[in-house]
């Protein structure tokens, strides 16, 4: 019985197929993506506790939009400049923590929301943030809106 060697073209095709698969990013599960955003939001909130304005800035997408009351702050530089006052002083004026995160099936956008607390730990509002996954897999905030706690409706 004679064993045939594979042709050069066949070997080349196998190598190319393997190389293209190796370059494809591993697709994360929905739960893994949610965990990433939870961790990112917590790291973002930690910038306030650590009084680290530069770290806060690093989480902002360049085209981010933050709502301050009815006014929209547009762009990372404007948001960072406005928020700088919250990073002055030894004590953080507020804190936040995600309570819920959802991620699109595509893994490109996520929503996080949760309570905002005053320095005594009392809930003073809520936040809602939209995150975008940018290359190389880093989540950056593109929209953010905080709201004061509303009274319960009868």
């Amino acid at each position: 019985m004679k064993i045939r060697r594979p042709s050069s073209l066949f070997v080349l095709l196998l190598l190319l197929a393997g190389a293209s698969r190796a370059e494809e990013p591993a697709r994360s599960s929905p739960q893994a993506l949610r965990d990433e955003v939870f961790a990112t939001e917590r790291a973002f909130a930690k910038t306030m506790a650590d009084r680290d304005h530069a770290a806060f800035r690093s989480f902002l997408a360049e085209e981010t939009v933050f709502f301050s009351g009815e006014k929209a702050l547009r762009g990372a530089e404007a948001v960072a400049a406005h928020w700088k006052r919250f990073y002055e002083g030894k004590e953080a004026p507020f804190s936040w923590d995600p309570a819920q995160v959802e991620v699109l099936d595509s893994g490109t956008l996520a929503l996080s929301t949760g309570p905002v607390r005053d320095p005594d730990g009392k809930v003073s509002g809520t936040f809602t943030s939209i995150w975008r996954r940018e290359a190389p897999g880093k989540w950056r905030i593109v929209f953010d809106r905080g709201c004061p706690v509303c009274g319960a409706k009868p």
Side-chain angles (χ1 to χ4, degrees):
M1 173 154 111
K2 185 175 180 182
I3 298 176
R4 296 181 71 199
R5 288 182 28 182
S7 73
S8 304
L9 180 60
F10 180 73
V11 171
L12 180 60
L13 288 174
L14 283 176
L15 289 172
L16 288 174
S20 67
R21 266 191 241 117
E23 292 170 9
E24 291 175 10
R27 189 138 182 141
S28 298
S29 72
Q31 184 59 50
L33 290 169
R34 286 180 66 238
D35 291 346
E36 282 181 18
V37 177
F38 266 113
T40 300
E41 183 71 66
R42 287 185 180 116
F44 185 52
K46 189 174 183 309
T47 69
M48 179 64 74
D50 291 347
R51 321 304 293 131
D52 190 345
H53 184 258
F56 167 84
R57 169 63 178 86
S58 74
F59 285 90
L60 304 176
E62 287 306 313
E63 61 183 341
T64 195
V65 175
F66 272 48
F67 291 89
S68 178
E70 295 302 312
K71 180 184 175 188
L73 301 169
R74 303 184 76 80
E77 291 309 315
V79 170
H82 181 81
W83 274 64
K84 187 161 181 58
R85 64 191 169 122
F86 299 128
Y87 284 82
E88 295 170 350
K90 291 186 177 194
E91 301 297 320
F94 56 88
S95 62
W96 68 95
D97 192 46
Q100 184 176 10
V101 169
E102 290 299 332
V103 181
L104 291 179
D105 289 342
S106 65
T108 57
L109 290 174
L111 178 140
S112 61
T113 188
V116 176
R117 298 181 188 281
D118 69 16
D120 296 324
K122 181 180 175 193
V123 174
S124 60
T126 59
F127 75 90
T128 301
S129 301
I130 305 295
W131 295 85
R132 178 175 60 205
R133 195 167 195 207
E134 297 183 350
K138 180 165 176 68
W139 290 96
R140 291 208 194 311
I141 194 165
V142 290
F143 287 100
D144 182 82
R145 182 171 195 123
C147 295
V149 173
C150 298
K153 294 184 180 181

